[in-house]
């Protein structure tokens, strides 16, 4: 009997010992996972969406109005548009009509600074393009509606003026989305030009020669060198980038930029695209054109150039405008057209809300305008986030956030991604920075990081936020320049914070 009792005691003690053995790898901290609801509305976010058009002339400079710019951040309808947009960007034509010879006046440069000051005060960014003329003079020539002389400036004048303008652009890089190459030809579109090789039917050569390409390369190089490396410079034609990067004899099937090369601030990584005749024809009115060189002819090459554009645009900034409704129904929404399909596959970040609304209005009747408004550029959606419920300052704060970019493109500028703890008792802020690159948030993203808490953090309860703030010191604290997540009841308009809907207790 005593033997059986002893055996039973041993068995019970052994079982209890196994149950209470601690696993050094187990996490006994109580955690909470929050699931977020999607916000399907349109709202303002920096560096993306539809932009408002503006222009000013050296001969009659009209400075931007701060109050008008601020009003763009609310829902407005452009003239001739049957849809409304919320705008955080203004395209700005700086027409240098008084400066086709010589230097730019200090008065003009001072007025430019006033424009950028107004934009900064209003929470808006500018897309600048410089040109000498936006006028098409009709006459007795092959094109008819536009004939030479066109009115642009020679290369030596352009290069000297880029040096002048570079200082202003550098000072105001914080409120510039991107700089467009411009300068050459009517509208700065690098086509109808008096000095850089006219490939139009108005000229006998009908293509670009080697010296024309070199002159254009020199202008682009000067603009890249005169502006900060974090700014992208957009060119009108994908072949312009190809021949800048690979040389004048480059073929249209050269390799696009790779993910490894992206965002490296090299010239290759900085050159993006603006398509000013989106959905105008099968080749977007010459966008996908091989303009030849001294030893090759001009040909349309949609297959290679559009493929190159599609691949390259994953990592560089793309924008533009529609220009004619002649390519209808192809310019309409799917399934009849390709508008919404191409905008996503070609990674468009912005479009013009003021032109051409013969095309854009069809997107309203076709049912895709709302999706286009919301998905141009980035659109970040929080899915879930996991946090500890409580911890001490000696503990690491382990956070696991899953989100998704459902927009057409990723951001192309660096940005601080912060976890913010705000004390519920006194609003004291503690900022912890994630080790991530928002420019590489292409699809689903996981922010999983362990943070050391500062020993000065006081005990209490803290609300937790995600803050996607500007990197520029001049505007980093401005809520207008912070990114809003597309989730319900998370946005704090007065701070630019996105609530993660969790309260953390610190003992």
């Amino acid at each position: 009997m005593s033997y059986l009792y002893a055996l039973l005691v041993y068995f019970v003690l052994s079982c209890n010992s196994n149950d209470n053995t601690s696993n050094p790898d187990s996490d006994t901290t109580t955690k909470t996972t929050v699931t977020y609801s999607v916000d399907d509305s349109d709202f303002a976010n920096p560096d993306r969406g539809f932009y408002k058009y503006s222009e000013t002339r050296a001969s009659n400079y009209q400075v931007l109005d701060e109050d008008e710019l601020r009003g763009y951040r609310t829902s407005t309808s452009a003239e001739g548009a049957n849809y409304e947009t919320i705008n955080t960007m203004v395209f700005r034509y700086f027409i240098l009509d008084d400066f086709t010879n010589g230097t730019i006046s200090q008065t003009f440069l001072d007025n430019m600074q006033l424009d950028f000051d107004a934009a900064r005060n209003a929470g808006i960014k500018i897309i600048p393009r410089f040109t000498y003329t936006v006028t098409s003079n009709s006459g007795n020539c092959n094109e008819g509606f536009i004939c030479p002389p066109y009115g642009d400036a020679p290369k030596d004048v352009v290069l000297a003026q880029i040096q002048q303008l570079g200082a202003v652009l550098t000072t105001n890089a914080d409120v510039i989305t991107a700089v467009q190459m411009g300068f050459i030809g009517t509208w700065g579109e690098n086509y109808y030009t008096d000095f850089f090789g006219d490939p139009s039917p108005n000229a006998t050569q009908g293509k670009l020669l080697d010296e024309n390409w070199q002159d254009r390369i020199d202008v682009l190089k000067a603009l890249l060198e005169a502006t900060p490396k974090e700014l992208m410079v957009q060119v009108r034609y994908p072949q312009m980038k190809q021949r800048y990067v690979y040389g004048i004899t480059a073929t249209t099937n050269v390799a696009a930029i790779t993910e490894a090369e992206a965002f490296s601030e090299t010239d290759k990584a900085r050159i993006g695209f603006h398509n000013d005749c989106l959905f105008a024809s099968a080749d977007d009115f010459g966008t996908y054109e091989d303009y030849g060189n001294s030893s090759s002819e001009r040909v349309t090459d949609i297959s290679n150039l559009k493929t190159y554009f599609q691949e390259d645009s994953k990592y560089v900034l793309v924008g533009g405008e529609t220009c004619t409704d002649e390519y209808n129904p192809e310019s309409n929404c799917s399934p009849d057209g390709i508008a919404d399909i191409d905008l996503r596959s070609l990674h468009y970040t912005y479009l013009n809300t003021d032109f051409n609304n013969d095309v854009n209005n069809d997107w309203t009747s076709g049912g895709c305008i709302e999706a286009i408004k919301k998905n141009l550029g980035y659109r970040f959606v929080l899915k879930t986030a996991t946090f500890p419920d409580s911890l001490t300052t000696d503990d690491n704060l382990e956070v696991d956030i899953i989100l998704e970019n459902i927009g057409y493109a990723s951001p192309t500028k660096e940005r601080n991604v912060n976890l913010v703890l705000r004390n519920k008792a006194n609003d004291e802020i503690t900022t912890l920075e994630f080790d991530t690159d928002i420019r590489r948030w292409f699809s689903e993203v996981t922010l999983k990081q362990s943070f050391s808490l500062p020993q000065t953090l006081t005990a209490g309860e803290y609300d937790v936020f995600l803050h996607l703030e500007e990197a520029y010191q001049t505007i980093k604290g401005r809520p207008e320049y912070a990114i809003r997540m597309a989730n319900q009841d998370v946005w704090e308009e007065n701070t630019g914070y996105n609530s993660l809907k969790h309260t953390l207790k610190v003992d």
Side-chain angles (χ1 to χ4, degrees):
M1 186 71 176
S2 60
Y3 172 76
L4 292 175
Y5 178 80
L7 186 61
L8 179 62
V9 169
Y10 175 79
F11 177 78
V12 170
L13 290 175
S14 296
C15 289
N16 287 339
S17 175
N18 286 338
D19 285 344
N20 291 325
T21 299
S22 62
N23 182 353
D25 294 327
S26 66
D27 186 355
T28 59
T29 304
T30 304
K31 294 183 178 182
T32 295
T33 296
V34 183
T35 300
Y36 304 94
S37 300
V38 174
D39 181 352
D40 200 39
S41 66
D42 186 26
F43 49 80
N45 253 333
D47 290 317
R48 60 150 305 277
F50 277 90
Y51 69 71
K52 296 293 291 184
Y53 174 92
S54 70
E55 65 177 54
T56 194
R57 297 174 181 269
S59 58
N60 182 28
Y61 203 110
Q62 300 294 313
V63 177
L64 290 170
D65 181 84
E66 181 180 322
D67 289 335
E68 183 178 359
L69 295 181
R70 189 175 287 109
Y72 292 158
R73 294 183 57 86
T74 60
S75 188
T76 60
S77 183
E79 183 178 354
N82 62 12
Y83 59 96
E84 294 186 346
T85 57
I86 299 170
N87 314 105
T88 63
M89 298 175 294
V90 170
F91 172 89
R92 186 66 160 161
Y93 253 138
F94 293 99
I95 304 169
L96 308 172
D97 54 345
D98 275 357
F99 307 127
T100 54
N101 291 291
T103 58
I104 297 172
S105 70
Q106 187 60 46
T107 299
F108 185 93
L109 298 175
D110 291 343
N111 282 332
M112 281 182 60
Q113 184 58 55
L114 292 176
D115 279 347
F116 288 117
D117 290 343
R120 188 178 294 105
N121 292 339
I124 291 290
K125 292 201 179 186
I126 293 177
I127 305 166
R129 188 196 303 180
F130 301 91
T131 185
Y132 298 93
T133 175
V134 293
T135 303
S136 56
N137 298 310
S138 59
N140 185 21
C141 65
N142 288 333
E143 290 274 24
F145 83 100
I146 182 169
C147 294
Y150 302 112
D152 57 343
K155 176 182 167 182
D156 61 330
V157 170
V158 172
L159 295 179
Q161 292 180 3
I162 287 175
Q163 295 307 308
Q164 291 185 273
L165 295 167
V168 182
L169 297 173
T170 299
T171 298
N172 297 284
D174 59 335
V175 288
I176 295 176
T177 296
V179 179
Q180 296 185 351
M181 179 178 169
F183 294 103
I184 298 170
T186 309
W187 307 295
E189 284 198 52
N190 289 224
Y191 193 75
Y192 299 106
T193 169
D194 298 324
F195 299 99
F196 292 85
D198 182 4
S200 79
N202 293 334
T204 56
Q205 68 185 50
K207 63 175 184 176
L208 295 179
L209 305 176
D210 289 0
E211 55 264 34
N212 305 144
W213 280 114
Q214 188 59 56
D215 288 343
R216 292 161 185 250
I217 286 170
D218 291 345
V219 169
L220 178 53
K221 183 174 180 61
L223 191 56
L224 286 163
E225 291 178 346
T227 50
K229 290 188 179 298
E230 70 269 19
L231 281 184
M232 290 197 177
V233 175
Q234 295 176 299
V235 297
R236 174 66 184 86
Y237 307 100
Q239 193 180 44
M240 181 70 237
K241 178 171 182 176
Q242 291 179 329
R243 297 207 165 174
Y244 181 92
V245 172
Y246 293 104
I248 292 169
T249 60
T251 57
T252 55
N253 62 352
V254 294
I257 190 172
T258 65
E259 185 173 350
E261 296 171 309
F263 313 119
S264 59
E265 297 188 345
T266 62
D267 287 353
K268 186 177 184 181
R270 290 181 61 196
I271 301 173
F273 309 107
H274 66 92
N275 183 350
D276 287 5
C277 265
L278 184 62
F279 307 130
S281 66
D283 72 336
D284 288 352
F285 278 9
T287 299
Y288 305 119
E289 190 92 2
D290 176 352
Y291 287 93
N293 56 30
S294 295
S295 57
S296 67
E297 295 306 310
R298 172 180 176 173
V299 294
T300 299
D301 191 352
I302 300 171
S303 177
N304 281 319
L305 286 168
K306 194 168 184 178
T307 298
Y308 173 83
F309 189 112
Q310 181 175 354
E311 291 301 310
D312 214 75
S313 63
K314 294 176 182 177
Y315 313 113
V316 298
L317 188 65
V318 176
E321 64 182 11
T322 57
C323 71
T324 178
D325 202 23
E326 296 175 4
Y327 195 50
N328 192 308
E330 287 86 351
S331 60
N332 295 341
C333 306
S334 60
D336 297 329
I338 59 172
D340 45 343
I341 296 172
D342 268 21
L343 288 171
R344 180 172 291 280
S345 67
L346 300 173
H347 308 99
Y348 273 79
T349 286
Y350 66 77
L351 290 176
N352 188 354
T353 190
D354 291 301
F355 191 78
N356 182 317
N357 279 315
D358 289 339
V359 179
N360 299 3
N361 286 343
D362 289 341
W363 299 342
T364 303
S365 57
C368 66
I369 187 65
E370 291 302 319
I372 290 171
K373 289 194 306 185
K374 290 180 287 191
N375 292 322
L376 283 168
Y378 61 85
R379 187 174 178 88
F380 299 134
V381 180
L382 288 166
K383 300 177 79 172
T384 63
T386 302
F387 313 92
D389 291 327
S390 64
L391 73 173
T392 70
T393 54
D394 292 329
D395 297 326
N396 284 343
L397 170 57
E398 296 184 355
V399 177
D400 190 349
I401 301 173
I402 298 175
L403 59 94
E404 186 177 8
N405 181 5
I406 61 173
Y408 297 155
S410 67
T412 56
K413 282 189 175 182
E414 281 190 292
R415 184 172 282 267
N416 300 326
V417 179
N418 298 325
L419 189 75
V420 174
L421 309 180
R422 187 169 68 197
N423 192 305
K424 292 175 72 71
N426 58 17
D427 289 336
E428 180 183 73
I429 295 296
T430 300
T431 300
L432 308 169
E433 187 172 354
F434 281 100
D435 181 17
T436 186
D437 187 346
I438 199 171
R439 298 170 299 181
R440 299 183 186 275
W441 289 11
F442 304 121
S443 53
E444 188 168 286
V445 177
T446 299
L447 298 176
K448 188 172 185 178
Q449 194 160 327
S450 180
F451 297 100
S452 297
L453 295 176
Q455 291 297 310
T456 55
L457 192 69
T458 57
E461 293 186 334
Y462 289 81
D463 289 328
V464 186
F465 302 88
L466 185 65
H467 189 204
L468 310 180
E469 68 171 354
E470 270 281 2
Y472 290 99
Q473 288 294 327
T474 49
I475 56 175
K476 66 180 299 185
R478 296 275 299 278
E480 307 98 311
Y481 293 110
I483 289 179
R484 175 178 171 178
M485 307 299 286
N487 293 94
Q488 295 178 18
D489 304 321
V490 302
W491 178 243
E492 277 198 355
E493 188 173 5
N494 63 320
T495 63
Y497 296 168
N498 296 278
S499 172
L500 293 174
K501 296 184 171 295
H502 181 70
T503 299
L504 176 69
K505 184 179 178 182
V506 178
D507 297 321

